[in-house]
Amino acid sequence: MDSIVIEALVRALAVGTPLLLACLGAILNERAGVVNLGVEGLMAVGALAAFAVASKSPDANLWVAVGAAMLAGAALSLLHAFATVTLRANQFVSGLALALIGTGAAGLLGKKFEGLPLFNKVPDWTLGSFTISPFTVAALILAGLLAFWLNATRSGLTLRSVGENPAAADVLGVNVGLTRVLAVLGGGALAGLAGAFLALSYRSSWADNMTNGLGWIAVALVIFVGWRPLRAIAGALFFGFLYYLQFRLQGNSNVPTEVFSAMPFILVLVVLALAGVRGQAGDAPAALGRAYVRGER
């Protein structure tokens, strides 16, 4: 029984890590008032960038690969920032376009890496009777730091004010546009870091559709946890356990595999519906999804 519990925890942490990292990035975006549905695409380009750097040679620096993933995620998210903050385009349409661009580009450019082995993976750390990835530790620390920053620092409260009432923040001298652009870039870097985990720790070879819908779950997870970074830890573990349960049941049932594969996504719809019933969507930043135009009410 103990071995099963440990296995479940390890698996939940493994799948929960990219969910948590991507969710934290989305929380950072949305606290500033910008919705980004392109998380799936940002994770995909992050994974590709990390694998491309790490697979060059056995001596490749894996942490340089991690940096490349974060840079790729931030660079691609700049398109979303330009479209939504500078051009004031619809944030939902721009995010969907970003998801398609990211996954499409990663699939196309990643073809030459298919079947290639990864010379080195980021090694796990052994803690007692189970192992944990440095990415997981980093994700947990980042959740705590983001929660503290948003609630207890001047710059964090400034970012929140931009997401709640950008006009009032503007009157107080806050550069609303710059704040939102930086939030989008930071969120893109965290999504890229989530992709780096998939490429450098979770798997050992490149595969198309490596993100497998995790980015979409991360977007929904933001609502599920009420835009709170510390709650995101529990939410990511919960969905990580669902993935583990899916694979456990899949091998011991005559039910078609497609049913089990759809389980996490079905549950996303259920929890979002429950969040709406409980009024949890009311916790969203007041100016979320709305472009800001100075002097406009």
Side-chain angles (χ1 to χ4, degrees):
M1 180 62 71
D2 289 343
S3 62
I4 295 177
V5 172
I6 291 174
E7 181 189 358
L9 179 59
V10 170
R11 295 290 185 181
L13 283 171
V15 180
T17 296
L19 285 176
L20 178 57
L21 288 169
C23 179
L24 293 176
I27 288 174
L28 183 61
N29 285 186
E30 298 193 11
R31 280 294 191 181
V34 181
V35 176
N36 189 351
L37 300 182
V39 175
E40 180 84 0
L42 297 173
M43 289 176 66
V45 296
L48 176 62
F51 191 90
V53 172
S55 63
K56 281 187 175 180
S57 74
D59 300 321
N61 190 315
L62 294 179
W63 298 113
V64 172
V66 171
M70 297 181 70
L71 186 61
L76 184 59
S77 69
L78 188 60
L79 292 176
H80 186 60
F82 177 72
T84 59
V85 179
T86 305
L87 301 181
R88 303 186 183 92
N90 184 288
Q91 295 180 9
F92 296 94
V93 174
S94 175
L96 287 172
L98 194 69
L100 293 174
I101 292 171
T103 53
L108 181 63
L109 298 175
K111 285 188 180 299
K112 65 179 180 180
F113 297 109
E114 289 181 359
L116 292 181
L118 190 64
F119 293 108
N120 294 300
K121 294 176 65 175
V122 174
D124 290 341
W125 294 340
T126 301
L127 299 176
S129 56
F130 69 96
T131 59
I132 188 170
S133 170
F135 286 96
T136 303
V137 176
L140 295 173
I141 293 173
L142 285 171
L145 290 176
L146 183 59
F148 175 80
W149 182 71
L150 287 173
N151 295 295
T153 67
R154 182 174 181 176
S155 56
L157 292 172
T158 297
L159 180 137
R160 289 179 59 185
S161 71
V162 167
E164 294 291 344
N165 192 334
D170 192 9
V171 169
L172 294 174
V174 176
N175 189 325
V176 174
L178 179 61
T179 301
R180 287 188 165 183
V181 167
L182 291 177
V184 172
L185 293 180
L190 286 173
L193 181 59
F197 166 79
L198 294 174
L200 303 178
S201 182
Y202 191 66
R203 296 177 180 269
S204 58
S205 63
W206 173 260
D208 191 19
N209 194 30
M210 186 178 282
T211 51
N212 195 31
L214 290 175
W216 297 109
I217 294 179
V219 171
L221 188 58
V222 175
I223 302 171
F224 181 53
V225 302
W227 290 266
R228 291 172 173 81
L230 293 181
R231 287 189 187 177
I233 296 174
L237 280 174
F238 174 67
F239 280 101
F241 176 74
L242 279 181
Y243 268 88
Y244 166 75
L245 189 62
Q246 164 198 329
F247 288 116
R248 289 285 295 186
L249 294 176
Q250 214 168 317
N252 299 282
S253 173
N254 293 323
V255 178
T257 58
E258 290 78 8
V259 174
F260 293 108
S261 299
M263 275 178 55
F265 300 96
I266 293 172
L267 196 62
V268 164
L269 297 176
V270 172
V271 297
L272 288 180
L274 291 175
V277 170
R278 294 202 319 261
Q280 195 167 336
D283 295 333
L288 182 62
R290 299 209 306 264
Y292 173 65
V293 181
R294 178 174 286 181
E296 195 175 87
R297 297 196 175 205

